[in-house]
mmCIF file of all heavy atoms in Angstrom:
data_model
loop_
_atom_site.group_PDB
_atom_site.id
_atom_site.type_symbol
_atom_site.label_atom_id
_atom_site.label_comp_id
_atom_site.label_asym_id
_atom_site.label_seq_id
_atom_site.Cartn_x
_atom_site.Cartn_y
_atom_site.Cartn_z
ATOM 1 N N PHE A 16 -3.488 14.647 19.390
ATOM 2 C CA PHE A 16 -3.430 13.495 18.526
ATOM 3 C C PHE A 16 -4.264 12.303 18.940
ATOM 4 O O PHE A 16 -4.288 12.020 20.235
ATOM 5 C CB PHE A 16 -1.838 13.000 18.375
ATOM 6 C CG PHE A 16 -1.006 14.053 17.784
ATOM 7 C CD1 PHE A 16 -0.321 14.873 18.574
ATOM 8 C CD2 PHE A 16 -0.816 13.918 16.379
ATOM 9 C CE1 PHE A 16 0.496 15.814 17.988
ATOM 10 C CE2 PHE A 16 0.052 14.895 15.814
ATOM 11 C CZ PHE A 16 0.702 15.776 16.595
ATOM 12 N N VAL A 17 -5.148 11.778 18.150
ATOM 13 C CA VAL A 17 -5.912 10.693 18.620
ATOM 14 C C VAL A 17 -5.516 9.518 17.760
ATOM 15 O O VAL A 17 -5.151 9.530 16.605
ATOM 16 C CB VAL A 17 -7.443 11.042 18.308
ATOM 17 C CG1 VAL A 17 -7.956 12.244 19.147
ATOM 18 C CG2 VAL A 17 -7.672 11.385 16.845
ATOM 19 N N PRO A 18 -5.663 8.267 18.383
ATOM 20 C CA PRO A 18 -5.145 7.056 17.651
ATOM 21 C C PRO A 18 -6.269 6.618 16.713
ATOM 22 O O PRO A 18 -7.494 6.443 17.121
ATOM 23 C CB PRO A 18 -4.991 6.081 18.767
ATOM 24 C CG PRO A 18 -5.843 6.491 19.883
ATOM 25 C CD PRO A 18 -5.923 8.041 19.784
ATOM 26 N N THR A 19 -5.901 6.237 15.462
ATOM 27 C CA THR A 19 -6.736 5.510 14.531
ATOM 28 C C THR A 19 -5.917 4.336 13.960
ATOM 29 O O THR A 19 -4.754 4.186 14.395
ATOM 30 C CB THR A 19 -7.142 6.391 13.376
ATOM 31 O OG1 THR A 19 -6.003 6.904 12.743
ATOM 32 C CG2 THR A 19 -7.985 7.544 13.978
ATOM 33 N N PHE A 20 -6.544 3.540 13.154
ATOM 34 C CA PHE A 20 -5.933 2.327 12.786
ATOM 35 C C PHE A 20 -6.003 2.182 11.208
ATOM 36 O O PHE A 20 -6.901 2.690 10.644
ATOM 37 C CB PHE A 20 -6.497 1.002 13.405
ATOM 38 C CG PHE A 20 -6.380 0.936 14.843
ATOM 39 C CD1 PHE A 20 -7.246 1.636 15.803
ATOM 40 C CD2 PHE A 20 -5.259 0.292 15.353
ATOM 41 C CE1 PHE A 20 -7.103 1.454 17.184
ATOM 42 C CE2 PHE A 20 -5.051 0.271 16.783
ATOM 43 C CZ PHE A 20 -6.027 0.906 17.677
ATOM 44 N N GLU A 21 -4.890 1.716 10.700
ATOM 45 C CA GLU A 21 -4.990 1.274 9.166
ATOM 46 C C GLU A 21 -4.363 -0.089 9.065
ATOM 47 O O GLU A 21 -3.651 -0.597 9.846
ATOM 48 C CB GLU A 21 -4.133 2.296 8.457
ATOM 49 C CG GLU A 21 -2.603 2.228 8.610
ATOM 50 C CD GLU A 21 -1.892 2.946 7.600
ATOM 51 O OE1 GLU A 21 -2.455 3.938 6.977
ATOM 52 O OE2 GLU A 21 -0.607 2.813 7.492
ATOM 53 N N GLY A 22 -4.722 -0.704 7.852
ATOM 54 C CA GLY A 22 -4.360 -2.176 7.798
ATOM 55 C C GLY A 22 -3.710 -2.280 6.276
ATOM 56 O O GLY A 22 -3.911 -1.431 5.534
ATOM 57 N N SER A 23 -3.173 -3.461 6.190
ATOM 58 C CA SER A 23 -2.519 -3.776 4.921
ATOM 59 C C SER A 23 -2.254 -5.269 4.794
ATOM 60 O O SER A 23 -2.625 -5.933 5.886
ATOM 61 C CB SER A 23 -1.241 -3.023 4.685
ATOM 62 O OG SER A 23 -0.686 -3.117 3.385
ATOM 63 N N ILE A 24 -1.809 -5.853 3.736
ATOM 64 C CA ILE A 24 -1.574 -7.267 3.648
ATOM 65 C C ILE A 24 -0.062 -7.343 3.133
ATOM 66 O O ILE A 24 0.312 -6.653 2.151
ATOM 67 C CB ILE A 24 -2.539 -7.906 2.600
ATOM 68 C CG1 ILE A 24 -3.958 -7.720 3.098
ATOM 69 C CG2 ILE A 24 -2.188 -9.308 2.339
ATOM 70 C CD1 ILE A 24 -4.955 -8.248 2.076
ATOM 71 N N PHE A 25 0.569 -8.214 3.818
ATOM 72 C CA PHE A 25 2.065 -8.592 3.453
ATOM 73 C C PHE A 25 2.107 -9.989 3.129
ATOM 74 O O PHE A 25 1.421 -10.919 3.520
ATOM 75 C CB PHE A 25 2.912 -8.138 4.592
ATOM 76 C CG PHE A 25 3.133 -6.689 4.869
ATOM 77 C CD1 PHE A 25 2.195 -5.945 5.545
ATOM 78 C CD2 PHE A 25 4.148 -6.007 4.419
ATOM 79 C CE1 PHE A 25 2.263 -4.568 5.764
ATOM 80 C CE2 PHE A 25 4.358 -4.691 4.620
ATOM 81 C CZ PHE A 25 3.354 -4.007 5.372
ATOM 82 N N ARG A 26 3.088 -10.274 2.251
ATOM 83 C CA ARG A 26 3.367 -11.617 1.854
ATOM 84 C C ARG A 26 4.841 -12.042 1.778
ATOM 85 O O ARG A 26 5.771 -11.120 1.572
ATOM 86 C CB ARG A 26 2.927 -11.758 0.360
ATOM 87 C CG ARG A 26 3.196 -13.230 -0.235
ATOM 88 C CD ARG A 26 2.821 -13.242 -1.709
ATOM 89 N NE ARG A 26 3.819 -12.489 -2.467
ATOM 90 C CZ ARG A 26 3.527 -11.677 -3.394
ATOM 91 N NH1 ARG A 26 2.210 -11.467 -3.835
ATOM 92 N NH2 ARG A 26 4.431 -10.917 -4.100
ATOM 93 N N THR A 27 5.157 -13.141 2.325
ATOM 94 C CA THR A 27 6.563 -13.690 2.260
ATOM 95 C C THR A 27 6.599 -14.880 1.407
ATOM 96 O O THR A 27 5.607 -15.674 1.449
ATOM 97 C CB THR A 27 7.074 -13.961 3.624
ATOM 98 O OG1 THR A 27 8.470 -14.384 3.644
ATOM 99 C CG2 THR A 27 6.292 -14.958 4.420
ATOM 100 N N THR A 28 7.747 -15.090 0.653
ATOM 101 C CA THR A 28 7.925 -16.325 -0.121
ATOM 102 C C THR A 28 9.158 -17.097 0.353
ATOM 103 O O THR A 28 9.554 -17.982 -0.261
ATOM 104 C CB THR A 28 7.839 -16.073 -1.568
ATOM 105 O OG1 THR A 28 8.972 -15.028 -1.762
ATOM 106 C CG2 THR A 28 6.618 -15.538 -2.082
ATOM 107 N N ASP A 29 9.712 -16.521 1.506
ATOM 108 C CA ASP A 29 10.981 -17.154 1.927
ATOM 109 C C ASP A 29 10.938 -17.363 3.449
ATOM 110 O O ASP A 29 11.853 -17.138 4.240
ATOM 111 C CB ASP A 29 12.167 -16.239 1.647
ATOM 112 C CG ASP A 29 12.008 -14.843 2.064
ATOM 113 O OD1 ASP A 29 11.158 -14.614 2.776
ATOM 114 O OD2 ASP A 29 12.866 -13.981 1.629
ATOM 115 N N ALA A 30 9.794 -17.875 3.892
ATOM 116 C CA ALA A 30 9.574 -18.266 5.341
ATOM 117 C C ALA A 30 9.815 -17.108 6.279
ATOM 118 O O ALA A 30 10.205 -17.296 7.353
ATOM 119 C CB ALA A 30 10.588 -19.384 5.710
ATOM 120 N N GLY A 31 9.362 -15.865 5.825
ATOM 121 C CA GLY A 31 9.458 -14.757 6.743
ATOM 122 C C GLY A 31 10.714 -14.001 6.806
ATOM 123 O O GLY A 31 10.897 -13.043 7.600
ATOM 124 N N ASN A 32 11.654 -14.416 5.951
ATOM 125 C CA ASN A 32 12.981 -13.553 5.966
ATOM 126 C C ASN A 32 12.758 -12.217 5.397
ATOM 127 O O ASN A 32 13.511 -11.311 5.724
ATOM 128 C CB ASN A 32 13.983 -14.348 5.193
ATOM 129 C CG ASN A 32 14.409 -15.667 5.878
ATOM 130 O OD1 ASN A 32 14.647 -15.615 7.155
ATOM 131 N ND2 ASN A 32 14.623 -16.678 5.230
ATOM 132 N N SER A 33 11.842 -12.078 4.450
ATOM 133 C CA SER A 33 11.467 -10.814 3.883
ATOM 134 C C SER A 33 9.996 -10.723 3.507
ATOM 135 O O SER A 33 9.376 -11.738 3.314
ATOM 136 C CB SER A 33 12.384 -10.499 2.622
ATOM 137 O OG SER A 33 12.105 -11.465 1.591
ATOM 138 N N TRP A 34 9.457 -9.395 3.501
ATOM 139 C CA TRP A 34 7.973 -9.300 3.278
ATOM 140 C C TRP A 34 7.746 -8.237 2.310
ATOM 141 O O TRP A 34 8.569 -7.222 2.213
ATOM 142 C CB TRP A 34 7.261 -8.998 4.631
ATOM 143 C CG TRP A 34 7.279 -9.999 5.689
ATOM 144 C CD1 TRP A 34 8.395 -10.205 6.504
ATOM 145 C CD2 TRP A 34 6.334 -11.022 5.921
ATOM 146 N NE1 TRP A 34 8.024 -11.260 7.402
ATOM 147 C CE2 TRP A 34 6.815 -11.762 7.024
ATOM 148 C CE3 TRP A 34 5.070 -11.360 5.422
ATOM 149 C CZ2 TRP A 34 6.027 -12.852 7.595
ATOM 150 C CZ3 TRP A 34 4.395 -12.383 5.844
ATOM 151 C CH2 TRP A 34 4.840 -13.097 6.942
ATOM 152 N N VAL A 35 6.730 -8.346 1.431
ATOM 153 C CA VAL A 35 6.412 -7.250 0.587
ATOM 154 C C VAL A 35 4.909 -7.108 0.700
ATOM 155 O O VAL A 35 4.124 -8.080 1.060
ATOM 156 C CB VAL A 35 6.784 -7.612 -0.917
ATOM 157 C CG1 VAL A 35 8.203 -7.711 -1.061
ATOM 158 C CG2 VAL A 35 6.031 -8.927 -1.300
ATOM 159 N N GLU A 36 4.448 -5.822 0.456
ATOM 160 C CA GLU A 36 3.005 -5.656 0.511
ATOM 161 C C GLU A 36 2.368 -6.286 -0.639
ATOM 162 O O GLU A 36 2.878 -6.202 -1.774
ATOM 163 C CB GLU A 36 2.680 -4.039 0.469
ATOM 164 C CG GLU A 36 2.933 -3.552 1.933
ATOM 165 C CD GLU A 36 2.174 -2.154 2.017
ATOM 166 O OE1 GLU A 36 2.696 -1.180 1.569
ATOM 167 O OE2 GLU A 36 1.152 -2.213 2.719
ATOM 168 N N ALA A 37 1.151 -6.809 -0.439
ATOM 169 C CA ALA A 37 0.444 -7.512 -1.443
ATOM 170 C C ALA A 37 -1.023 -6.886 -1.568
ATOM 171 O O ALA A 37 -1.847 -7.642 -1.068
ATOM 172 C CB ALA A 37 0.384 -9.048 -1.257
ATOM 173 N N ASN A 38 -1.170 -5.661 -1.988
ATOM 174 C CA ASN A 38 -2.435 -5.083 -1.962
ATOM 175 C C ASN A 38 -2.849 -4.766 -3.415
ATOM 176 O O ASN A 38 -3.078 -3.553 -3.837
ATOM 177 C CB ASN A 38 -2.284 -3.736 -1.151
ATOM 178 C CG ASN A 38 -2.080 -3.970 0.288
ATOM 179 O OD1 ASN A 38 -2.989 -4.527 0.972
ATOM 180 N ND2 ASN A 38 -0.908 -3.641 0.829
ATOM 181 N N THR A 39 -2.835 -5.712 -4.330
ATOM 182 C CA THR A 39 -3.263 -5.549 -5.579
ATOM 183 C C THR A 39 -4.544 -4.738 -5.712
ATOM 184 O O THR A 39 -5.551 -5.304 -5.216
ATOM 185 C CB THR A 39 -3.311 -6.801 -6.433
ATOM 186 O OG1 THR A 39 -2.002 -7.386 -6.319
ATOM 187 C CG2 THR A 39 -3.625 -6.607 -7.879
ATOM 188 N N GLY A 40 -4.545 -3.621 -6.348
ATOM 189 C CA GLY A 40 -5.919 -2.777 -6.478
ATOM 190 C C GLY A 40 -6.045 -1.895 -5.237
ATOM 191 O O GLY A 40 -6.845 -0.994 -5.217
ATOM 192 N N ILE A 41 -5.135 -2.098 -4.263
ATOM 193 C CA ILE A 41 -5.211 -1.283 -2.919
ATOM 194 C C ILE A 41 -6.732 -1.302 -2.385
ATOM 195 O O ILE A 41 -7.221 -0.254 -2.130
ATOM 196 C CB ILE A 41 -4.679 0.135 -3.144
ATOM 197 C CG1 ILE A 41 -3.606 0.244 -4.227
ATOM 198 C CG2 ILE A 41 -4.085 0.669 -1.862
ATOM 199 C CD1 ILE A 41 -3.034 1.657 -4.353
ATOM 200 N N MET A 42 -7.384 -2.324 -2.393
ATOM 201 C CA MET A 42 -8.706 -2.411 -1.974
ATOM 202 C C MET A 42 -8.715 -2.115 -0.410
ATOM 203 O O MET A 42 -7.738 -2.187 0.323
ATOM 204 C CB MET A 42 -9.223 -3.836 -2.050
ATOM 205 C CG MET A 42 -9.457 -4.258 -3.637
ATOM 206 S SD MET A 42 -10.435 -2.989 -4.537
ATOM 207 C CE MET A 42 -12.058 -3.325 -3.833
ATOM 208 N N HIS A 43 -9.885 -1.427 -0.054
ATOM 209 C CA HIS A 43 -10.128 -1.070 1.307
ATOM 210 C C HIS A 43 -9.266 0.086 1.745
ATOM 211 O O HIS A 43 -9.211 0.374 2.922
ATOM 212 C CB HIS A 43 -10.004 -2.339 2.254
ATOM 213 C CG HIS A 43 -10.709 -3.458 1.851
ATOM 214 N ND1 HIS A 43 -12.127 -3.425 1.595
ATOM 215 C CD2 HIS A 43 -10.314 -4.787 1.541
ATOM 216 C CE1 HIS A 43 -12.539 -4.812 1.131
ATOM 217 N NE2 HIS A 43 -11.440 -5.479 1.118
ATOM 218 N N SER A 44 -8.611 0.792 0.826
ATOM 219 C CA SER A 44 -7.872 1.993 1.210
ATOM 220 C C SER A 44 -8.612 3.201 0.565
ATOM 221 O O SER A 44 -9.177 3.120 -0.506
ATOM 222 C CB SER A 44 -6.432 1.940 0.619
ATOM 223 O OG SER A 44 -5.712 0.959 1.318
ATOM 224 N N SER A 45 -8.643 4.328 1.253
ATOM 225 C CA SER A 45 -9.336 5.413 0.730
ATOM 226 C C SER A 45 -8.324 6.309 -0.130
ATOM 227 O O SER A 45 -7.467 6.915 0.455
ATOM 228 C CB SER A 45 -9.886 6.288 1.904
ATOM 229 O OG SER A 45 -10.583 7.459 1.337
ATOM 230 N N VAL A 46 -8.514 6.194 -1.392
ATOM 231 C CA VAL A 46 -7.610 6.855 -2.337
ATOM 232 C C VAL A 46 -7.979 8.294 -2.631
ATOM 233 O O VAL A 46 -8.996 8.549 -3.337
ATOM 234 C CB VAL A 46 -7.396 6.056 -3.627
ATOM 235 C CG1 VAL A 46 -6.416 6.776 -4.519
ATOM 236 C CG2 VAL A 46 -6.947 4.649 -3.337
ATOM 237 N N VAL A 47 -7.257 9.218 -2.093
ATOM 238 C CA VAL A 47 -7.670 10.690 -2.048
ATOM 239 C C VAL A 47 -7.187 11.378 -3.332
ATOM 240 O O VAL A 47 -7.694 12.446 -3.740
ATOM 241 C CB VAL A 47 -7.350 11.392 -0.749
ATOM 242 C CG1 VAL A 47 -8.041 10.792 0.358
ATOM 243 C CG2 VAL A 47 -5.877 11.418 -0.523
ATOM 244 N N ASP A 48 -6.072 10.812 -3.923
ATOM 245 C CA ASP A 48 -5.656 11.582 -5.097
ATOM 246 C C ASP A 48 -4.902 10.649 -5.931
ATOM 247 O O ASP A 48 -4.371 9.558 -5.531
ATOM 248 C CB ASP A 48 -4.628 12.705 -4.578
ATOM 249 C CG ASP A 48 -4.483 13.839 -5.652
ATOM 250 O OD1 ASP A 48 -5.042 13.575 -6.716
ATOM 251 O OD2 ASP A 48 -3.897 14.804 -5.406
ATOM 252 N N LEU A 49 -4.844 10.871 -7.202
ATOM 253 C CA LEU A 49 -4.147 10.098 -8.263
ATOM 254 C C LEU A 49 -3.323 11.079 -9.008
ATOM 255 O O LEU A 49 -3.629 12.181 -9.300
ATOM 256 C CB LEU A 49 -5.067 9.272 -9.156
ATOM 257 C CG LEU A 49 -5.882 8.235 -8.537
ATOM 258 C CD1 LEU A 49 -6.931 7.696 -9.535
ATOM 259 C CD2 LEU A 49 -4.992 7.011 -8.118
ATOM 260 N N GLU A 50 -2.137 10.634 -9.412
ATOM 261 C CA GLU A 50 -1.244 11.444 -10.225
ATOM 262 C C GLU A 50 -0.574 10.606 -11.300
ATOM 263 O O GLU A 50 -0.155 9.544 -10.928
ATOM 264 C CB GLU A 50 -0.177 12.159 -9.360
ATOM 265 C CG GLU A 50 0.719 13.151 -10.126
ATOM 266 C CD GLU A 50 0.075 14.473 -10.301
ATOM 267 O OE1 GLU A 50 -0.847 14.873 -9.492
ATOM 268 O OE2 GLU A 50 0.466 15.155 -11.261
ATOM 269 N N VAL A 51 -0.469 11.105 -12.493
ATOM 270 C CA VAL A 51 0.343 10.292 -13.493
ATOM 271 C C VAL A 51 1.548 11.013 -13.865
ATOM 272 O O VAL A 51 1.607 12.213 -14.107
ATOM 273 C CB VAL A 51 -0.549 10.232 -14.854
ATOM 274 C CG1 VAL A 51 0.251 9.587 -15.979
ATOM 275 C CG2 VAL A 51 -1.827 9.318 -14.506
ATOM 276 N N LEU A 52 2.616 10.251 -13.920
ATOM 277 C CA LEU A 52 3.932 10.815 -14.329
ATOM 278 C C LEU A 52 4.705 9.746 -15.033
ATOM 279 O O LEU A 52 5.065 8.752 -14.597
ATOM 280 C CB LEU A 52 4.821 11.217 -12.927
ATOM 281 C CG LEU A 52 6.097 12.068 -13.273
ATOM 282 C CD1 LEU A 52 5.787 13.425 -13.875
ATOM 283 C CD2 LEU A 52 6.790 12.205 -11.994
ATOM 284 N N GLY A 53 4.974 10.131 -16.414
ATOM 285 C CA GLY A 53 5.594 9.123 -17.213
ATOM 286 C C GLY A 53 4.697 7.975 -17.365
ATOM 287 O O GLY A 53 3.464 8.110 -17.791
ATOM 288 N N ASN A 54 5.258 6.777 -17.269
ATOM 289 C CA ASN A 54 4.477 5.545 -17.313
ATOM 290 C C ASN A 54 3.916 5.042 -16.063
ATOM 291 O O ASN A 54 3.414 3.932 -15.910
ATOM 292 C CB ASN A 54 5.206 4.482 -17.973
ATOM 293 C CG ASN A 54 6.349 3.919 -17.143
ATOM 294 O OD1 ASN A 54 6.894 4.676 -16.348
ATOM 295 N ND2 ASN A 54 6.829 2.684 -17.344
ATOM 296 N N ARG A 55 4.090 5.895 -14.968
ATOM 297 C CA ARG A 55 3.606 5.366 -13.693
ATOM 298 C C ARG A 55 2.298 6.203 -13.240
ATOM 299 O O ARG A 55 2.037 7.256 -13.677
ATOM 300 C CB ARG A 55 4.641 5.816 -12.643
ATOM 301 C CG ARG A 55 5.844 4.877 -12.685
ATOM 302 C CD ARG A 55 6.788 5.257 -11.397
ATOM 303 N NE ARG A 55 7.956 4.303 -11.376
ATOM 304 C CZ ARG A 55 8.677 4.265 -10.300
ATOM 305 N NH1 ARG A 55 8.423 5.002 -9.286
ATOM 306 N NH2 ARG A 55 9.697 3.325 -10.231
ATOM 307 N N ILE A 56 1.457 5.449 -12.468
ATOM 308 C CA ILE A 56 0.288 6.095 -11.943
ATOM 309 C C ILE A 56 0.573 5.971 -10.423
ATOM 310 O O ILE A 56 0.908 4.938 -10.000
ATOM 311 C CB ILE A 56 -0.981 5.472 -12.347
ATOM 312 C CG1 ILE A 56 -2.175 6.167 -11.640
ATOM 313 C CG2 ILE A 56 -1.070 3.964 -12.120
ATOM 314 C CD1 ILE A 56 -3.464 5.884 -12.313
ATOM 315 N N TYR A 57 0.410 7.104 -9.747
ATOM 316 C CA TYR A 57 0.589 7.183 -8.266
ATOM 317 C C TYR A 57 -0.724 7.346 -7.632
ATOM 318 O O TYR A 57 -1.638 8.019 -8.053
ATOM 319 C CB TYR A 57 1.474 8.349 -7.886
ATOM 320 C CG TYR A 57 2.869 8.251 -8.379
ATOM 321 C CD1 TYR A 57 3.156 8.688 -9.711
ATOM 322 C CD2 TYR A 57 3.900 7.691 -7.664
ATOM 323 C CE1 TYR A 57 4.476 8.586 -10.195
ATOM 324 C CE2 TYR A 57 5.186 7.583 -8.195
ATOM 325 C CZ TYR A 57 5.541 7.972 -9.431
ATOM 326 O OH TYR A 57 6.774 7.872 -9.988
ATOM 327 N N ALA A 58 -0.991 6.590 -6.444
ATOM 328 C CA ALA A 58 -2.093 6.690 -5.627
ATOM 329 C C ALA A 58 -1.802 7.040 -4.263
ATOM 330 O O ALA A 58 -0.788 6.576 -3.671
ATOM 331 C CB ALA A 58 -2.836 5.290 -5.622
ATOM 332 N N PHE A 59 -2.547 8.000 -3.651
ATOM 333 C CA PHE A 59 -2.347 8.556 -2.409
ATOM 334 C C PHE A 59 -3.496 8.330 -1.442
ATOM 335 O O PHE A 59 -4.633 8.641 -1.781
ATOM 336 C CB PHE A 59 -2.029 10.107 -2.545
ATOM 337 C CG PHE A 59 -0.911 10.390 -3.467
ATOM 338 C CD1 PHE A 59 -1.301 10.578 -4.752
ATOM 339 C CD2 PHE A 59 0.386 10.446 -3.072
ATOM 340 C CE1 PHE A 59 -0.307 10.788 -5.731
ATOM 341 C CE2 PHE A 59 1.357 10.670 -4.022
ATOM 342 C CZ PHE A 59 1.046 10.910 -5.320
#
């Protein structure tokens, strides 16, 4: 096992009590597969 790094962006609107990912468009991520199921589109 070799170490690599990945990143993301998180946002809080309540002074850090909770966080959600804020990656609209999932930029800078390597999307290797897409799948559609119902009205959802999944990105992997």
Side-chain angles (χ1 to χ4, degrees):
F16 294 93
V17 296
T19 57
F20 294 89
E21 69 168 17
S23 190
I24 298 174
F25 288 80
R26 179 187 66 225
T27 180
T28 56
D29 55 12
N32 292 318
S33 62
W34 297 83
V35 296
E36 281 201 280
N38 294 294
T39 301
I41 330 181
M42 294 302 294
H43 310 302
S44 295
S45 180
V46 179
V47 297
D48 204 355
L49 294 170
E50 183 81 26
V51 171
L52 188 63
N54 67 335
R55 290 186 172 194
I56 182 168
Y57 295 88
F59 305 88

